[in-house]
Amino acid sequence: SQQGEEDPQALSIQEGENATMNCSYKTSINNLQWYRQNSGRGLVHLILIRSNEREKHSGRLRVTLDTSKKSSSLLITASRAADTASYFCATASSYGKLTFGQGTILTVHP
Amino acid sequence: DVKVTQSSRYLVKRTGEKVFLECVQDMDHENMFWYRQDPGLGLRLIYFSYDVKMKEKGDIPEGYSVSREKKERFSLILESASTNQTSMYLCASSSPGQGGYGYTFGSGTRLTVV
């Protein structure tokens, strides 16, 4: 069963712009994670935010979590062409097990 | 560099064949997972394991089985491959504790059943 749902499904921007992706989920969570997948490859873990945290930063990434609205957002600032990838949110609601959304396809044009 | 290694990047098998997908991790992780990824359906959990010789069904276990005889190796078995099992298969591992450290994924195996 899918827990997280990303919005938008696809996002196209110019290099230097910010990219914002949203994730909504249905049940209570222990943490929420974001992953990147380059075409045809495995997923790479980007950032984890725990249920008692509201915001977290890592380099050009900023993640927010609103547990009252059951939603999260991923902001990539000053996007680069190399950021072109699919981005997935995943929720951890039970011991060690993640449930993934369907992803947002981000295209950054040089 | 720690990693999860999947034995094949691309695999073509015939309908009815028994197929083994191998996954090895070198991080001494207790938890290992098998997902399949299909367009429009995202990643779906097939099986997972929290320890050697332990296995738990995920969301779509039908037509699959797994084996974990050693901590570092988690195998996915398609007992009798069918065309609807054509997919990208992703293995992942993590350390225990509510998924608190994130997953490390392999590069994936793209399986085509003809």
Side-chain angles (χ1 to χ4, degrees):
Chain A
S1 60
Q2 296 300 319
Q3 163 77 308
E5 292 192 7
E6 285 93 341
D7 172 61
Q9 291 187 347
L11 181 60
S12 182
I13 60 174
Q14 295 296 126
E15 219 170 20
E17 294 180 343
N18 295 342
T20 300
M21 289 159 266
N22 302 296
C23 171
S24 60
Y25 57 92
K26 297 174 183 174
T27 61
S28 62
I29 61 172
N30 290 301
N31 66 69
L32 186 144
Q33 304 177 28
W34 285 90
Y35 288 80
R36 183 187 75 233
Q37 183 180 34
N38 291 92
S39 180
R41 309 295 294 185
L43 280 72
V44 174
H45 180 254
L46 294 176
I47 195 166
L48 179 153
I49 186 165
R50 302 188 190 283
S51 59
N52 61 353
E53 298 174 313
R54 292 296 166 258
E55 187 170 314
K56 203 161 183 180
H57 296 254
S58 176
R60 293 184 296 113
L61 305 180
R62 173 179 168 253
V63 170
T64 62
L65 179 65
D66 187 336
T67 53
S68 67
K69 295 181 179 178
K70 290 187 168 58
S71 68
S72 173
S73 67
L74 171 68
L75 168 67
I76 304 174
T77 59
S79 296
R80 304 166 183 169
D83 294 328
T84 294
S86 294
Y87 291 82
F88 295 86
C89 71
T91 53
S93 56
S94 61
Y95 188 81
K97 180 180 160 187
L98 287 181
T99 303
F100 288 82
Q102 294 191 21
T104 293
I105 300 171
L106 173 65
T107 303
V108 181
H109 300 280
Chain B
D1 192 20
V2 293
K3 59 184 180 181
V4 174
T5 302
Q6 293 184 231
S7 53
S8 304
R9 286 280 288 132
Y10 299 94
L11 211 51
V12 180
K13 295 292 182 180
R14 295 192 180 280
T15 301
E17 276 193 77
K18 190 169 186 176
V19 181
F20 293 85
L21 302 183
E22 305 288 345
C23 176
V24 177
Q25 51 97 1
D26 64 0
M27 295 165 284
D28 202 35
H29 283 167
E30 278 77 6
N31 303 340
M32 296 189 75
F33 308 84
W34 275 107
Y35 288 83
R36 63 176 284 177
Q37 183 178 22
D38 301 285
L41 297 176
L43 278 78
R44 293 179 291 167
L45 181 63
I46 306 171
Y47 267 97
F48 57 105
S49 169
Y50 290 141
D51 203 350
V52 176
K53 296 193 186 295
M54 287 184 61
K55 60 184 179 183
E56 298 283 344
K57 292 181 180 179
D59 299 319
I60 51 164
E62 296 78 19
Y64 303 93
S65 62
V66 289
S67 172
R68 192 159 181 208
E69 295 297 318
K70 294 185 177 181
K71 190 177 185 180
E72 67 271 18
R73 186 179 297 269
F74 192 35
S75 303
L76 180 68
I77 304 158
L78 285 67
E79 298 291 343
S80 178
S82 63
T83 55
N84 63 14
Q85 291 178 311
T86 291
S87 185
M88 169 73 102
Y89 289 88
L90 293 163
C91 175
S93 71
S94 75
S95 57
Q98 309 294 341
Y101 299 100
Y103 285 14
T104 301
F105 277 86
S107 296
T109 295
R110 189 167 294 279
L111 172 67
T112 302
V113 182
V114 298

